[in-house]
Amino acid sequence: IALLNTLKTIKILHKTDERLRELIDKEDFPGAIQLCRDCQHAAVTYRQYTCIQDLNSKLKDTAVLIEEKLDEVLSVMCINFDHGRYSKITTAYLLLGKLQSAMDQLHMHFTSAIHSRTYETVYRYASNTSADQKIQYEDLCRCVPPDLYIECLSNILTTLWGIMSSYQKMLSYHYSDSSCDEKLSQFDKNYVQQKLQLGLARIWQDVQNKVNPYLVSQDLSQFQFDDFIKVLDLVNRLIQVGQEFCGTPNIPCDLLREPLRAQSIQYFRRYHASRAEELHMFLNMELWELLPVKPTFTTLQLKRVPLHGL
């Protein structure tokens, strides 16, 4: 009877590999981790059997696969945060005892998302580029046609706002009374909250680092006045979002404000020069006659005409 029970147990252990795969595919990582551990503990009891040695090897591979899939889904949360999926992820890392290292990895994922998604957005609008050619981001920005510049900028900012929104939702999650946080030690809870708070400035800096090269990539002085105002409005809205994101109006924005300032100076210099040239042409083309006035006339005698009266 004991032998029969042993054989049944070994058979069940071998079938759990399929069940583990199902749990991973369903992103039930806490369940997969617990089942994998139970199998590993049971396998220790029957380690004298050759078939169990093979199973142990499979379980180790499955444990590695679980962590790889966990990291993969964690990176997705940077772009599209989902409360339910994120709750499973944090619970899983808690079971693994790797929640703190996951928070360190999380910031790398956010930085990667900002860089890759911005590059992909600009690449869609860039001209004279080939799929086989890897172009530096700064050079890629200069490949965007002027007529698509505002549309591309709008999509860049929409992408970045989405990533910043995911970060804020993640931060709110760890400050809420979630079931996962109730299982955290006070030390872990403080670590996660502090890590995310400190990460706000870093994320904002990464955002500026991607928008700045785009702002200086073209000479905006050639734009129509309304288009130029749209660019100013979009970037000023980004600064407002950044202030709300960081929770303070006193955030560094030089990477955004300085290009706007330089572009504005250049724009209005060109604008005034073109208007002066237009006025000069207008004055030269008009027929002028001397107006008879009294010898005692001075310019001080001219009446002031309000603009609305013209």
Side-chain angles (χ1 to χ4, degrees):
I1 296 176
L3 179 61
L4 183 61
N5 289 335
T6 298
L7 291 173
K8 286 181 178 179
T9 303
I10 292 173
K11 184 179 179 181
I12 292 171
L13 287 174
H14 274 281
K15 285 188 175 181
T16 53
D17 186 58
E18 295 178 10
R19 176 59 180 157
L20 281 169
R21 300 282 173 169
E22 290 177 7
L23 291 172
I24 293 171
D25 290 341
K26 291 178 181 178
E27 296 184 0
D28 184 1
F29 299 113
I33 292 168
Q34 193 59 56
L35 180 58
C36 188
R37 283 181 175 176
D38 292 342
C39 289
Q40 286 174 327
H41 291 152
V44 171
T45 307
Y46 305 100
R47 61 181 177 273
Q48 67 270 27
Y49 298 102
T50 305
C51 59
I52 292 297
Q53 293 175 7
D54 294 337
L55 177 63
N56 258 325
S57 179
K58 282 186 178 180
L59 289 172
K60 287 178 182 178
D61 291 341
T62 302
V64 172
L65 178 64
I66 291 171
E67 291 198 34
E68 289 176 351
K69 289 293 184 180
L70 260 175
D71 188 61
E72 184 181 312
V73 179
L74 183 64
S75 67
V76 173
M77 295 297 99
C78 301
I79 300 168
N80 186 19
F81 181 82
D82 180 90
H83 188 282
R85 295 176 78 188
Y86 186 71
S87 180
K88 289 181 180 179
I89 294 171
T90 50
T91 302
Y93 276 118
L94 192 60
L95 285 171
L96 292 170
K98 295 184 177 182
L99 187 60
Q100 291 187 19
S101 61
M103 288 299 106
D104 296 335
Q105 185 67 19
L106 180 65
H107 283 85
M108 294 176 63
H109 283 315
F110 268 104
T111 297
S112 177
I114 289 170
H115 287 212
S116 61
R117 299 283 287 188
T118 306
Y119 189 96
E120 289 168 9
T121 301
V122 177
Y123 187 83
R124 288 199 303 269
Y125 288 91
S127 59
N128 301 322
T129 58
S130 62
D132 299 330
Q133 188 180 11
K134 183 64 176 178
I135 306 175
Q136 291 294 323
Y137 177 72
E138 290 76 7
D139 296 329
L140 189 67
C141 290
R142 288 189 279 270
C143 293
V144 177
D147 59 322
L148 297 176
Y149 182 88
I150 294 176
E151 183 181 335
C152 181
L153 176 61
S154 178
N155 278 293
I156 289 172
L157 299 189
T158 300
T159 298
L160 293 173
W161 286 333
I163 295 172
M164 293 165 74
S165 174
S166 290
Y167 194 93
Q168 274 291 354
K169 289 175 182 177
M170 203 170 288
L171 186 62
S172 299
Y173 173 89
H174 285 286
Y175 274 93
S176 65
D177 297 326
S178 62
S179 57
C180 175
D181 273 11
E182 290 174 0
K183 301 173 187 176
L184 290 177
S185 67
Q186 191 59 45
F187 177 81
D188 283 338
K189 187 179 292 188
N190 291 341
Y191 179 88
V192 171
Q193 292 176 352
Q194 185 179 22
K195 193 77 177 177
L196 289 172
Q197 281 290 352
L198 291 173
L200 290 168
R202 178 178 169 181
I203 297 298
W204 173 239
Q205 186 66 29
D206 286 339
V207 167
Q208 289 189 89
N209 286 337
K210 301 315 288 183
V211 177
N212 174 274
Y214 190 80
L215 293 178
V216 301
S217 64
Q218 296 207 25
D219 181 8
L220 301 186
S221 66
Q222 304 301 319
F223 280 34
Q224 294 294 322
F225 185 79
D226 288 344
D227 291 338
F228 183 72
I229 294 299
K230 285 179 183 177
V231 174
L232 297 183
D233 181 56
L234 284 169
V235 179
N236 281 321
R237 271 195 280 170
L238 173 61
I239 292 173
Q240 291 174 0
V241 170
Q243 291 170 340
E244 293 178 13
F245 178 75
C246 295
T248 173
N250 302 317
I251 58 172
C253 299
D254 290 346
L255 287 175
L256 300 178
R257 284 186 171 137
E258 282 305 313
L260 287 188
R261 179 177 175 277
Q263 291 276 21
S264 296
I265 292 172
Q266 182 68 17
Y267 184 88
F268 284 106
R269 279 178 180 169
R270 187 203 65 81
Y271 184 82
H272 289 310
S274 63
R275 296 289 82 79
E277 185 180 342
E278 187 177 313
L279 179 61
H280 182 265
M281 183 179 64
F282 173 76
L283 292 174
N284 285 337
M285 292 180 65
E286 285 293 320
L287 296 176
W288 298 93
E289 293 183 5
L290 289 174
L291 182 66
V293 294
K294 295 178 180 180
T296 57
F297 174 80
T298 67
T299 54
L300 298 175
Q301 294 174 314
L302 289 173
K303 290 185 179 181
R304 197 170 185 178
V305 180
L307 291 177
H308 60 76
L310 293 177

